Amino acid sequence: MPDKTYNIGVEATMDIIGGKWKSIILCHLRQQTLRTGELRRAIPQITQKMLTQQLRELENDGIVNRKIYEQVPPKVEYSLTDRGNSLNAILHQLCLWGESNIAERKSNGETINLLSEEQEVNS
Amino acid sequence: MPDKTYNIGVEATMDIIGGKWKSIILCHLRQQTLRTGELRRAIPQITQKMLTQQLRELENDGIVNRKIYEQVPPKVEYSLTDRGNSLNAILHQLCLWGESNIAERKSNGETINLLSEEQEVNS
DNA sequence: TGCTGTAGATACTTAAAAGTACCTATACAA
DNA sequence: TTGTATAGGTACTTTTAAGTATCTACAGCA
Protein backbone atom coordinates (compact mmCIF):
# COMPACT_ATOMS: atom_id res chain seq x y z
CA MET A 1 0.00 0.00 0.00
CA PRO A 2 2.08 2.90 -1.24
CA ASP A 3 1.41 6.52 -0.31
CA LYS A 4 -1.20 6.47 2.42
CA THR A 5 -2.73 9.88 2.98
CA TYR A 6 -4.31 11.10 6.19
CA ASN A 7 -6.49 14.16 6.58
CA ILE A 8 -5.89 14.65 10.27
CA GLY A 9 -3.24 13.47 12.73
CA VAL A 10 -5.55 11.37 14.85
CA GLU A 11 -6.38 9.27 11.80
CA ALA A 12 -2.75 8.22 11.53
CA THR A 13 -2.53 7.44 15.22
CA MET A 14 -5.69 5.36 15.12
CA ASP A 15 -4.21 3.42 12.23
CA ILE A 16 -1.55 2.30 14.69
CA ILE A 17 -3.52 1.71 17.89
CA GLY A 18 -6.90 0.86 16.38
CA GLY A 19 -8.54 -2.54 16.54
CA LYS A 20 -9.61 -4.68 19.44
CA TRP A 21 -6.24 -5.60 20.90
CA LYS A 22 -3.42 -3.16 20.18
CA SER A 23 -4.19 -0.55 22.81
CA ILE A 24 -4.59 -3.30 25.41
CA ILE A 25 -1.30 -4.91 24.46
CA LEU A 26 0.49 -1.57 24.59
CA CYS A 27 -0.91 -0.74 28.02
CA HIS A 28 0.42 -4.01 29.35
CA LEU A 29 3.86 -3.21 27.99
CA ARG A 30 3.94 0.04 29.92
CA GLN A 31 6.98 0.05 32.24
CA GLN A 32 7.88 -3.58 31.58
CA THR A 33 9.26 -5.99 29.06
CA LEU A 34 7.11 -9.08 28.65
CA ARG A 35 7.53 -12.47 27.03
CA THR A 36 4.90 -13.73 24.62
CA GLY A 37 3.41 -16.10 27.18
CA GLU A 38 3.31 -13.41 29.86
CA LEU A 39 1.36 -11.15 27.52
CA ARG A 40 -0.99 -13.96 26.64
CA ARG A 41 -1.68 -14.67 30.30
CA ALA A 42 -2.14 -10.94 31.00
CA ILE A 43 -4.82 -10.81 28.29
CA PRO A 44 -6.59 -14.14 28.74
CA GLN A 45 -9.20 -13.66 26.00
CA ILE A 46 -6.67 -13.07 23.23
CA THR A 47 -5.66 -15.97 21.03
CA GLN A 48 -2.09 -16.81 20.15
CA LYS A 49 -2.77 -15.89 16.55
CA MET A 50 -4.17 -12.43 17.28
CA LEU A 51 -1.41 -11.68 19.78
CA THR A 52 1.35 -12.52 17.32
CA GLN A 53 -0.37 -10.74 14.47
CA GLN A 54 -0.93 -7.52 16.41
CA LEU A 55 2.61 -7.55 17.80
CA ARG A 56 4.00 -7.90 14.27
CA GLU A 57 2.03 -4.90 13.11
CA LEU A 58 3.14 -2.84 16.10
CA GLU A 59 6.71 -3.88 15.35
CA ASN A 60 6.36 -2.80 11.72
CA ASP A 61 5.05 0.57 12.88
CA GLY A 62 8.09 1.01 15.09
CA ILE A 63 6.15 0.88 18.35
CA VAL A 64 7.46 -2.33 19.91
CA ASN A 65 10.79 -4.09 19.94
CA ARG A 66 11.00 -7.82 19.44
CA LYS A 67 14.02 -9.45 21.02
CA ILE A 68 14.62 -13.08 20.11
CA TYR A 69 16.84 -15.25 22.29
CA GLU A 70 18.31 -17.95 20.11
CA GLN A 71 17.58 -20.85 22.38
CA VAL A 72 15.29 -23.86 22.61
CA PRO A 73 12.55 -23.74 23.73
CA PRO A 74 12.23 -20.29 22.16
CA LYS A 75 12.21 -17.10 24.18
CA VAL A 76 10.96 -13.79 22.76
CA GLU A 77 10.63 -10.53 24.64
CA TYR A 78 8.56 -7.51 23.70
CA SER A 79 9.18 -3.96 24.86
CA LEU A 80 8.30 -0.43 23.77
CA THR A 81 10.53 1.57 21.48
CA ASP A 82 11.08 5.28 22.19
CA ARG A 83 8.28 6.02 19.78
CA GLY A 84 6.16 3.46 21.56
CA ASN A 85 6.85 5.09 24.89
CA SER A 86 5.80 8.52 23.71
CA LEU A 87 2.58 7.03 22.39
CA ASN A 88 2.01 5.03 25.53
CA ALA A 89 2.12 8.12 27.72
CA ILE A 90 -1.06 9.27 25.98
CA LEU A 91 -2.52 5.79 25.96
CA HIS A 92 -2.12 5.69 29.70
CA GLN A 93 -4.30 8.79 29.95
CA LEU A 94 -6.93 7.05 27.85
CA CYS A 95 -6.69 4.20 30.31
CA LEU A 96 -7.25 6.49 33.28
CA TRP A 97 -10.06 8.29 31.47
CA GLY A 98 -11.73 4.96 30.81
CA GLU A 99 -11.52 3.98 34.45
CA SER A 100 -13.03 7.20 35.74
CA ASN A 101 -15.62 7.17 32.96
CA ILE A 102 -16.75 3.72 34.07
CA ALA A 103 -16.93 4.89 37.68
CA GLU A 104 -18.98 7.89 36.57
CA ARG A 105 -21.40 5.78 34.57
CA LYS A 106 -21.76 3.23 37.36
CA SER A 107 -22.75 5.98 39.79
CA ASN A 108 -25.35 6.84 37.15
CA GLY A 109 -26.85 3.40 37.55
CA GLU A 110 -25.31 1.69 34.54
CA THR A 111 -23.82 -1.75 34.94
CA ILE A 112 -20.30 -1.72 33.61
CA ASN A 113 -17.43 -3.48 35.30
CA LEU A 114 -13.70 -3.15 35.35
CA LEU A 115 -12.02 -6.31 36.59
CA SER A 116 -8.88 -5.67 38.56
CA GLU A 117 -6.30 -8.47 38.62
CA GLU A 118 -7.35 -9.18 42.20
CA GLN A 119 -11.14 -9.50 42.10
CA GLU A 120 -11.64 -12.35 39.68
CA VAL A 121 -15.11 -13.51 38.76
CA ASN A 122 -15.69 -17.00 40.12
CA SER A 123 -18.88 -18.19 38.50
CA MET B 1 -26.13 -5.72 25.86
CA PRO B 2 -26.39 -5.83 29.63
CA ASP B 3 -23.39 -5.87 31.93
CA LYS B 4 -20.37 -5.21 29.76
CA THR B 5 -17.12 -6.01 31.52
CA TYR B 6 -13.75 -4.50 30.74
CA ASN B 7 -10.39 -5.78 31.92
CA ILE B 8 -8.54 -2.50 31.56
CA GLY B 9 -9.58 1.13 31.31
CA VAL B 10 -8.30 1.68 27.80
CA GLU B 11 -10.63 -1.05 26.57
CA ALA B 12 -13.63 0.98 27.71
CA THR B 13 -12.28 4.15 26.12
CA MET B 14 -11.64 2.40 22.82
CA ASP B 15 -15.18 1.13 22.90
CA ILE B 16 -16.20 4.78 22.68
CA ILE B 17 -13.65 6.26 20.25
CA GLY B 18 -12.87 3.12 18.23
CA GLY B 19 -13.78 2.61 14.61
CA LYS B 20 -12.87 4.50 11.50
CA TRP B 21 -14.71 7.77 12.09
CA LYS B 22 -15.40 8.62 15.72
CA SER B 23 -12.00 10.02 16.66
CA ILE B 24 -12.01 12.13 13.51
CA ILE B 25 -15.48 13.49 14.20
CA LEU B 26 -14.53 14.32 17.77
CA CYS B 27 -11.39 16.16 16.72
CA HIS B 28 -13.44 18.32 14.40
CA LEU B 29 -15.81 19.18 17.23
CA ARG B 30 -12.93 20.47 19.32
CA GLN B 31 -13.55 24.12 20.22
CA GLN B 32 -16.60 24.48 18.01
CA THR B 33 -20.19 23.50 17.53
CA LEU B 34 -20.90 22.20 14.04
CA ARG B 35 -23.99 21.51 12.00
CA THR B 36 -24.37 18.12 10.30
CA GLY B 37 -23.50 19.52 6.90
CA GLU B 38 -20.45 21.35 8.21
CA LEU B 39 -19.16 18.11 9.69
CA ARG B 40 -19.84 16.28 6.45
CA ARG B 41 -17.88 18.86 4.48
CA ALA B 42 -15.07 18.79 7.03
CA ILE B 43 -14.76 15.02 6.52
CA PRO B 44 -15.38 14.65 2.78
CA GLN B 45 -14.96 10.87 2.61
CA ILE B 46 -17.60 10.10 5.20
CA THR B 47 -21.08 9.19 4.03
CA GLN B 48 -24.22 10.69 5.48
CA LYS B 49 -25.17 7.33 6.90
CA MET B 50 -21.90 6.76 8.73
CA LEU B 51 -21.83 10.31 10.04
CA THR B 52 -25.31 10.07 11.53
CA GLN B 53 -24.71 6.59 12.89
CA GLN B 54 -21.46 7.49 14.62
CA LEU B 55 -22.92 10.71 16.04
CA ARG B 56 -25.85 8.74 17.49
CA GLU B 57 -23.48 6.35 19.21
CA LEU B 58 -21.38 9.21 20.58
CA GLU B 59 -24.57 10.82 21.83
CA ASN B 60 -25.63 7.60 23.56
CA ASP B 61 -22.23 7.42 25.25
CA GLY B 62 -22.68 10.95 26.57
CA ILE B 63 -19.86 12.43 24.49
CA VAL B 64 -21.73 14.76 22.16
CA ASN B 65 -24.81 16.92 22.45
CA ARG B 66 -27.40 17.01 19.70
CA LYS B 67 -29.38 20.22 19.51
CA ILE B 68 -32.35 20.19 17.17
CA TYR B 69 -33.83 23.46 15.93
CA GLU B 70 -37.48 22.85 15.15
CA GLN B 71 -37.49 24.51 11.78
CA VAL B 72 -37.71 23.66 8.11
CA PRO B 73 -35.38 22.92 6.47
CA PRO B 74 -33.99 21.14 9.52
CA LYS B 75 -31.06 22.42 11.53
CA VAL B 76 -29.13 20.23 13.93
CA GLU B 77 -26.03 21.21 15.86
CA TYR B 78 -23.47 18.94 17.47
CA SER B 79 -21.16 19.89 20.31
CA LEU B 80 -19.11 18.15 22.98
CA THR B 81 -20.50 17.45 26.43
CA ASP B 82 -18.29 17.98 29.49
CA ARG B 83 -17.39 14.34 29.32
CA GLY B 84 -16.66 14.75 25.65
CA ASN B 85 -14.38 17.68 26.35
CA SER B 86 -12.33 15.76 28.90
CA LEU B 87 -11.92 12.96 26.38
CA ASN B 88 -11.10 15.33 23.59
CA ALA B 89 -8.21 16.85 25.48
CA ILE B 90 -6.48 13.47 25.25
CA LEU B 91 -7.64 12.91 21.69
CA HIS B 92 -5.98 16.16 20.74
CA GLN B 93 -2.69 14.78 22.02
CA LEU B 94 -3.19 11.70 19.85
CA CYS B 95 -3.74 14.09 16.98
CA LEU B 96 -0.49 15.93 17.66
CA TRP B 97 1.34 12.65 18.15
CA GLY B 98 0.06 11.45 14.80
CA GLU B 99 1.26 14.58 13.06
CA SER B 100 4.77 14.42 14.50
CA ASN B 101 4.87 10.67 13.92
CA ILE B 102 4.12 11.20 10.26
CA ALA B 103 6.80 13.89 10.04
CA GLU B 104 9.25 11.49 11.69
CA ARG B 105 8.45 8.68 9.29
CA LYS B 106 8.61 10.94 6.28
CA SER B 107 12.13 12.03 7.26
CA ASN B 108 12.84 8.28 7.33
CA GLY B 109 11.95 8.07 3.67
CA GLU B 110 8.44 6.71 3.98
CA THR B 111 5.71 8.24 1.87
CA ILE B 112 2.86 9.26 4.12
CA ASN B 113 0.96 12.47 3.74
CA LEU B 114 -1.10 14.67 5.94
CA LEU B 115 -3.31 16.96 3.89
CA SER B 116 -3.89 20.34 5.45
CA GLU B 117 -7.04 22.14 4.39
CA GLU B 118 -4.83 24.43 2.30
CA GLN B 119 -2.63 22.12 0.23
CA GLU B 120 -5.13 20.13 -1.79
CA VAL B 121 -3.97 17.47 -4.20
CA ASN B 122 -4.63 18.56 -7.77
CA SER B 123 -3.99 15.50 -9.91
C1' DT C 1 7.79 -43.13 25.38
C1' DG C 2 4.50 -39.79 25.62
C1' DC C 3 3.27 -35.23 27.65
C1' DT C 4 4.08 -30.14 28.46
C1' DG C 5 5.77 -25.64 27.45
C1' DT C 6 7.98 -22.59 24.24
C1' DA C 7 6.64 -19.28 19.97
C1' DG C 8 5.02 -19.32 16.24
C1' DA C 9 2.60 -20.30 10.90
C1' DT C 10 -1.28 -21.23 7.94
C1' DA C 11 -5.90 -22.24 5.97
C1' DC C 12 -10.38 -21.50 6.73
C1' DT C 13 -14.72 -19.60 8.82
C1' DT C 14 -17.53 -16.25 11.20
C1' DA C 15 -18.77 -11.80 12.90
C1' DA C 16 -18.59 -6.96 12.75
C1' DA C 17 -17.85 -2.71 10.45
C1' DA C 18 -18.33 0.11 6.63
C1' DG C 19 -20.24 1.33 2.16
C1' DT C 20 -24.02 1.73 -1.60
C1' DA C 21 -28.37 2.82 -3.19
C1' DC C 22 -32.51 4.70 -2.71
C1' DC C 23 -36.31 6.71 0.10
C1' DT C 24 -38.86 10.85 3.09
C1' DA C 25 -40.35 15.92 3.59
C1' DT C 26 -40.29 20.96 3.05
C1' DA C 27 -38.58 25.74 1.95
C1' DC C 28 -36.52 28.58 -1.22
C1' DA C 29 -34.54 30.11 -5.69
C1' DA C 30 -34.19 30.17 -10.71
C1' DT D 1 -41.85 23.70 -12.25
C1' DT D 2 -37.71 21.76 -11.57
C1' DG D 3 -33.61 21.71 -8.83
C1' DT D 4 -31.04 22.42 -4.38
C1' DA D 5 -30.22 22.22 0.42
C1' DT D 6 -31.62 20.61 4.87
C1' DA D 7 -31.12 16.02 8.06
C1' DG D 8 -32.10 12.11 8.19
C1' DG D 9 -34.05 6.51 7.59
C1' DT D 10 -33.66 1.72 5.78
C1' DA D 11 -32.46 -2.47 3.16
C1' DC D 12 -28.84 -4.62 1.29
C1' DT D 13 -23.96 -5.70 -0.10
C1' DT D 14 -19.10 -5.63 0.45
C1' DT D 15 -14.97 -5.39 3.00
C1' DT D 16 -12.25 -6.00 6.94
C1' DA D 17 -11.32 -7.80 11.40
C1' DA D 18 -11.37 -11.40 14.44
C1' DG D 19 -11.75 -16.23 15.75
C1' DT D 20 -11.08 -21.52 15.17
C1' DA D 21 -8.56 -25.46 14.14
C1' DT D 22 -4.62 -27.68 13.13
C1' DC D 23 0.37 -27.79 11.99
C1' DT D 24 5.85 -27.29 13.09
C1' DA D 25 10.06 -28.23 16.16
C1' DC D 26 12.78 -29.19 20.16
C1' DA D 27 13.96 -29.58 25.31
C1' DG D 28 12.96 -31.40 29.59
C1' DC D 29 10.42 -34.33 32.69
C1' DA D 30 8.09 -38.51 34.57
Side-chain angles (χ1 to χ4, degrees):
Chain A
M1 54 219 84
D3 224 63
K4 175 126 198 179
T5 299
Y6 300 106
N7 294 285
I8 190 169
V10 76
E11 199 179 351
T13 307
M14 281 300 165
D15 226 27
I16 291 177
I17 62 168
K20 189 172 178 180
W21 299 113
K22 283 179 186 170
S23 58
I24 299 176
I25 292 170
L26 289 176
C27 280
H28 280 284
L29 285 177
R30 177 180 146 81
Q31 320 272 38
Q32 58 192 327
T33 292
L34 290 174
R35 293 184 60 176
T36 312
E38 293 175 317
L39 265 173
R40 207 180 47 237
R41 282 184 290 274
I43 313 170
Q45 306 96 322
I46 203 171
T47 59
Q48 170 74 53
K49 182 211 160 194
M50 289 310 291
L51 179 59
T52 309
Q53 182 180 307
Q54 304 302 301
L55 283 167
R56 283 296 172 290
E57 293 179 16
L58 289 169
E59 195 192 355
N60 289 337
D61 285 328
I63 305 298
V64 305
N65 267 319
R66 179 162 178 255
K67 184 172 179 184
I68 305 152
Y69 293 80
E70 284 298 349
Q71 61 182 53
V72 162
K75 175 177 176 180
V76 177
E77 278 182 352
Y78 293 95
S79 58
L80 296 177
T81 60
D82 288 347
R83 187 185 287 180
N85 266 310
S86 67
L87 177 59
N88 222 247
I90 311 175
L91 231 40
H92 185 236
Q93 294 180 58
L94 285 180
C95 203
L96 296 177
W97 188 91
E99 289 170 18
S100 63
N101 187 248
I102 287 173
E104 209 181 309
R105 293 170 68 182
K106 279 179 87 167
S107 73
N108 259 21
E110 300 181 47
T111 49
I112 303 143
N113 291 314
L114 184 65
L115 288 181
S116 71
E117 280 97 291
E118 274 67 54
Q119 46 163 143
E120 283 292 303
V121 176
N122 40 349
S123 57
Chain B
M1 51 221 87
D3 225 60
K4 176 123 198 181
T5 298
Y6 299 106
N7 294 285
I8 190 168
V10 76
E11 199 181 349
T13 308
M14 281 300 165
D15 225 26
I16 291 177
I17 62 167
K20 189 172 176 179
W21 299 113
K22 283 180 185 168
S23 58
I24 299 176
I25 292 171
L26 290 177
C27 281
H28 280 284
L29 285 177
R30 177 180 147 81
Q31 321 273 37
Q32 56 192 327
T33 292
L34 290 174
R35 294 184 61 176
T36 313
E38 293 175 317
L39 265 173
R40 209 181 44 237
R41 283 185 289 275
I43 312 170
Q45 306 94 324
I46 203 171
T47 60
Q48 170 73 54
K49 181 209 160 197
M50 288 311 290
L51 180 58
T52 309
Q53 182 180 307
Q54 303 302 301
L55 283 167
R56 283 297 172 288
E57 293 179 17
L58 289 170
E59 195 192 355
N60 289 337
D61 285 328
I63 305 298
V64 305
N65 268 318
R66 179 162 177 256
K67 184 172 178 184
I68 305 152
Y69 293 79
E70 284 298 347
Q71 60 182 55
V72 161
K75 176 177 176 181
V76 177
E77 278 182 351
Y78 292 95
S79 58
L80 295 177
T81 60
D82 288 348
R83 188 185 287 179
N85 265 310
S86 68
L87 177 59
N88 222 247
I90 310 174
L91 231 40
H92 185 235
Q93 293 180 59
L94 286 181
C95 203
L96 296 177
W97 188 90
E99 288 169 19
S100 63
N101 186 249
I102 286 173
E104 209 181 308
R105 292 170 69 184
K106 279 179 85 167
S107 74
N108 259 21
E110 300 181 49
T111 48
I112 304 143
N113 290 314
L114 184 65
L115 287 181
S116 71
E117 280 95 292
E118 274 66 56
Q119 45 161 146
E120 285 292 304
V121 176
N122 42 348
S123 56

